[in-house]
Amino acid sequence: MSAPDHPQQRPLYGQFPTALRFSIRDQTRNRLAGLLLMLFVPVWYLLMDALASGEALDFKLYATGEVLHVDGGHLTLISAGLNSVTMIAGFVVFDAVRKGLAFDRRLVFAGYRQATLIGAKTLAVAAVAAAIAVYTALAILFFWRPTVGGWFAVLAGFTVIALTYGSLGLLLGVLVKRDLEGFFLIIMGGLMDTFLQNPLGNPLANKPVLQWFPSFGPMQFATGGALGHTALWGHLTLGLAWAAAFSTVGLVIFRVKTRDRSHSARSGRAVPQAQ
């Protein structure tokens, strides 16, 4: 893969579309992630629905203190969707960012501004996360038909958790050295995070300690909107705060690792004094 034009040949206003195209291309060329999205999501829904359908569960809405008595199948479909989104969004972004880091360094060396690359990375993560969330939310309709408002609450919860784990994938992509480490952290983190929110598999799911988990806000918002007819906007914002925190740390590390050190070295040289 060759770097784009020399900085003198490419104006600054033309850098962002090119950088965005590279970022989206890198994040959408992962065929394994595409197969996971197309096949794993409906199969996972089918399995979870078969295990939990018809079982009554109690789920606490912390914003109101209300305890919902809900169909366990519906609640489990929400948590299963969140679980699918965490793994796929995190995996896609992590794989793309880690493999493209060396190329991003070459872009900076070729004259691309780091701010441009950071903006492109951020927008690409948001676009890919939104696409994954939309597909996962549409797939749930084959197993359960919530109200229109309830479905949009599920979509919003899925979108926020996709942004959160996409941002975590970005952070791990610039932080860890090997694929295995990143995949393990994303898969195990997503499984534990979303599993603990569902009282079907976790008797402690309604305990306050779960408020410190990234999926807490999206799960509360999706469940409150779809099953409790309550819009818990503060909890959706809580999920966005996790996404902002992960992406901020990841982009700071990205900026450090893609710094043009040759330019810094040249700038730091002492200027010879005239005799």
Side-chain angles (χ1 to χ4, degrees), residues 41-43 45-47 49 74 77 139-145:
V41 170
V43 171
Y45 277 149
L46 180 63
L47 179 60
D49 185 57
H74 298 163
L77 284 172
I140 209 172
L141 295 176
F142 289 97
F143 305 91
W144 169 43
R145 293 297 178 93

Side-chain angles (χ1 to χ4, degrees), residues 89-169:
F91 171 57
V92 167
V93 177
F94 167 76
D95 186 63
V97 170
R98 185 179 180 278
K99 290 180 178 178
L101 190 59
F103 183 61
D104 289 326
R105 292 193 191 100
R106 295 174 64 188
L107 288 177
V108 173
F109 185 76
Y112 275 67
R113 293 178 299 176
Q114 287 181 304
T116 299
L117 296 181
I118 287 172
K121 291 285 184 194
T122 304
L123 186 56
V125 169
V128 171
I132 293 171
V134 168
Y135 175 82
T136 309
L138 288 173
I140 209 172
L141 295 176
F142 289 97
F143 305 91
W144 169 43
R145 293 297 178 93
T147 64
V148 175
W151 182 82
F152 276 106
V154 171
L155 174 61
F158 286 2
T159 301
V160 170
I161 200 66
L163 288 171
T164 300
Y165 273 78
S167 300
L168 177 61

Side-chain angles (χ1 to χ4, degrees), residues 4-89:
D5 302 333
H6 192 270
Q8 277 78 16
Q9 300 173 335
R10 181 173 292 277
L12 294 178
Y13 62 79
Q15 290 185 352
F16 185 80
T18 303
L20 180 62
R21 187 173 70 250
F22 281 134
S23 296
I24 292 179
R25 182 202 61 187
D26 290 343
Q27 293 182 31
T28 55
R29 69 193 307 179
N30 191 320
R31 295 181 180 179
L32 176 58
L35 287 175
L36 285 174
L37 183 64
M38 299 299 294
L39 301 178
F40 172 75
V41 170
V43 171
W44 190 234
Y45 277 149
L46 180 63
L47 179 60
M48 292 296 101
D49 185 57
L51 290 174
S53 182
E55 182 171 346
L57 294 176
D58 292 336
F59 186 85
K60 184 176 180 179
L61 294 179
Y62 280 86
T64 63
E66 179 185 3
V67 177
L68 303 178
H69 304 283
V70 300
D71 185 320
H74 298 163
L75 184 63
T76 300
L77 284 172
I78 294 175
S79 65
L82 290 171
N83 176 239
S84 301
V85 168
T86 60
M87 291 190 291
I88 296 172

Side-chain angles (χ1 to χ4, degrees), residues 195-267:
F195 171 78
L196 292 175
Q197 303 291 337
N198 189 347
L200 176 68
N202 177 29
L204 303 179
N206 292 320
K207 297 297 182 181
V209 67
L210 296 182
Q211 297 179 69
W212 300 101
F213 286 74
S215 68
F216 173 78
M219 181 71 175
Q220 288 278 311
F221 185 85
T223 304
L227 301 176
H229 310 292
T230 304
L232 306 177
W233 296 108
H235 286 75
L236 197 65
T237 304
L238 179 62
L240 290 173
W242 276 99
F246 285 143
S247 61
T248 299
V249 177
L251 291 171
V252 168
I253 298 174
F254 174 82
R255 183 178 180 86
V256 171
K257 289 199 170 184
T258 58
R259 188 171 49 201
D260 187 352
R261 290 176 173 81
S262 63
H263 175 76
S264 301
R266 289 193 301 269
S267 300

